[in-house]
Amino acid sequence: MRGNVMELAIAVVIGAAFTSVVTAVTKGVVQPLIASVGSAQVGGLNFKIRPKNDATLVDLNGVISSLLNFLIVAAVVYFLVVVPMNALMERRRRGEEPEPAAPAEDILLLQEIRDLLRDRPMQQGQQG
């Protein structure tokens, strides 16, 4: 696969949109579930290293949510991009998928002209 800039741009936009959906789900559903497991005083699995200092709050809820975000996005990318691409490459390797069509006639003509110019002997005074 040679890659295509438009396909890459579309993938980035869709990935960013999907990431925001996953973030909304984890903040709206997963974080409250995690917070319900811990103590009610601090808020879920969070804890303070020094009880009267808010700057010492260790936010385990956020860490777990971010980890779940990453795992969900990675799984979706793997199953929707990597697995189908590997299957396509395997089919091509086995010969089940037809190779791309031959170049058009004008491209073949241009390639022939290029080859003739390349094979032409250099005239004196010209630099290559």
Side-chain angles (χ1 to χ4, degrees):
M1 299 303 212
R2 294 183 194 142
N4 188 335
V5 175
M6 285 302 293
E7 290 175 359
L8 181 61
I10 291 169
V12 167
V13 170
I14 290 174
F18 182 73
T19 301
S20 68
V21 169
V22 172
T23 301
V25 169
T26 55
K27 282 186 178 183
V29 177
V30 175
Q31 276 185 344
L33 291 174
I34 294 170
S36 69
V37 173
S39 69
Q41 289 180 346
V42 179
L45 298 177
N46 297 341
F47 62 91
K48 292 181 183 176
I49 296 173
R50 295 185 161 236
K52 295 183 182 192
N53 188 352
D54 288 338
T56 63
L57 178 70
V58 177
D59 185 16
L60 291 179
N61 292 345
V63 171
I64 292 170
S65 294
S66 295
L67 181 64
L68 287 173
N69 263 354
F70 172 76
L71 291 175
I72 291 169
V73 171
V76 167
V77 167
Y78 179 76
F79 288 113
L80 293 182
V81 176
V82 175
V83 170
M85 187 63 71
N86 287 341
L88 177 65
M89 295 305 285
E90 178 64 24
R91 288 177 63 189
R92 279 201 174 157
R93 191 178 59 78
R94 289 189 311 225
E96 293 177 8
E97 175 108 0
E99 288 298 319
E105 189 175 324
D106 57 342
I107 300 296
L108 291 174
L109 181 61
L110 288 171
Q111 289 174 344
E112 185 179 337
I113 293 170
R114 177 200 64 201
D115 294 341
L116 289 171
L117 288 173
R118 182 178 37 202
D119 296 340
R120 184 176 70 175
M122 297 287 287
Q123 295 180 0
Q124 197 171 21
Q126 287 185 336
Q127 295 181 7

